[in-house]
């Protein structure tokens, strides 16, 4: 990006956040995990980091939130690094579903009864079972350590209130995990696998943490500051492809058309997005639209991408 482009971004970002904040009124904060309902409905914030070390933030970018489904991108990558591509794709597919993220419909309807992709809940729970480690505590510790390295934030931690809230109320995920166990997809104890899953969904961060993690993906797996390879390039390619085809759930096609960047959303209202080779982006806006994506967050990314001509397509 030229200096003039970056200056335009820095100058315009606060105004774009103000314009899009109004869309928070059209959404609802998730409440099926009761603790999430405490998030401020009208919040909207963003951080954008560039591969040359520049960073710009606007709005409520300091608000801490749990990563929820955004974490699934990085547990997928860790499972690929632990097991290789062939072993992972024996257990999960590569296709979007058209169903809700927490649906089990196709596990019954479509043989061989494996999750369609690693970003729906059934797929991410399966991925949790593939993380190497001696018991759920070690697996969770490895995931948290991996997230700390990618975000460059050694104090990244779980939100234990959100973790307990989801663990107490996660009966749908629990039933899905038992079905997967019965289909021979899940190995190990169902409760242990779910513990790993609920814990990684409850890792808390800010827009800056998401932006930095996204920047590693934008840089094909290298640490943007040190050049150290944190993720093999092939696994970044796989992750970016899933983000493009299923990262925004049943709005992934519309998001690809309107924004044109690989992205992943979570029910806490976070969105991680990236422009390959150039930017890592973290967004928070807890009010969700009917598709489960941040209402104002999606609008903000549409505005920025269209104004700055960032679509990859
Ligand atoms: O399993 C769940 O329902 C949550 N821990 C994560 C779901 C989520 O973020 C889906 N996102 N849009």
């Amino acid at each position: 990006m030229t200096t003039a482009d970056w200056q335009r971004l820095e100058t315009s970002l606060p105004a774009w956040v103000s314009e899009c904040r109004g869309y928070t009124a059209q959404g609802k904060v998730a409440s099926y995990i009761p603790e999430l309902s405490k998030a401020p409905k009208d919040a909207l914030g963003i951080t954008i980091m560039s591969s040359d070390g520049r960073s710009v933030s606007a709005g409520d970018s300091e608000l801490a939130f749990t990563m929820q489904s955004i974490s699934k991108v990085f547990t997928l990558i860790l499972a690929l690094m632990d097991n290789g591509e062939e072993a992972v794709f024996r257990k999960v597919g590569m296709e979007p579903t058209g169903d809700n993220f927490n649906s089990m419909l196709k596990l019954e309807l479509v043989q061989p009864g494996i999750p369609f992709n690693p970003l729906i809940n059934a797929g991410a729970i399966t991925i949790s079972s593939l993380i190497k480690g001696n018991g759920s505590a070690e697996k969770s510790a490895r995931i948290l350590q991996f997230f700390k390295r990618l975000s460059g934030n050694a104090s990244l931690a779980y939100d234990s209130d959100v973790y307990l809230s989801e663990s107490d109320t996660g009966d749908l995920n629990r039933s899905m995990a038992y079905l997967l166990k019965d289909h021979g997809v899940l190995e190990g104890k169902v409760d242990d696998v779910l513990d790993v899953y609920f814990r990684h969904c409850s890792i808390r961060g800010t827009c800056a943490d998401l932006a930095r993690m996204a920047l590693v993906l934008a840089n094909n797996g290298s640490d943007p500051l040190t050049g150290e390879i944190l993720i093999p390039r092939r696994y970044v390619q796989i992750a970016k492809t899933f983000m493009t085809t299923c990262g925004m759930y049943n709005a992934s096609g519309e998001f690809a058309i309107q924004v044109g960047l690989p992205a992943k959303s979570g029910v806490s209202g976070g969105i991680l997005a990236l422009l390959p080779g150039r930017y890592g982006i973290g967004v928070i806006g807890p009010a969700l639209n009917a598709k489960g994506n941040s209402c104002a967050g999606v609008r903000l990314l549409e505005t920025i991408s269209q104004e700055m001509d960032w679509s990859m397509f």
Side-chain angles (χ1 to χ4, degrees), residues 32-33 68-69 72 101 121 166 173 197 201 249 265-267 292:
Y32 76 99
I33 299 173
Q68 297 300 333
S69 285
K72 295 170 180 175
F101 65 85
N121 285 8
E166 179 162 19
N173 282 331
Y197 173 75
C201 287
Y249 295 103
S265 66
V267 280

Side-chain angles (χ1 to χ4, degrees), residues 6 9 12 42 64 70 86 88 92 98 157 169 171 174 210:
W6 182 262
L9 185 62
S12 308
D42 58 356
I70 297 167
E86 210 245 329
V88 168
V92 296
T169 56
D171 294 324
R174 213 162 259 120
L210 294 192

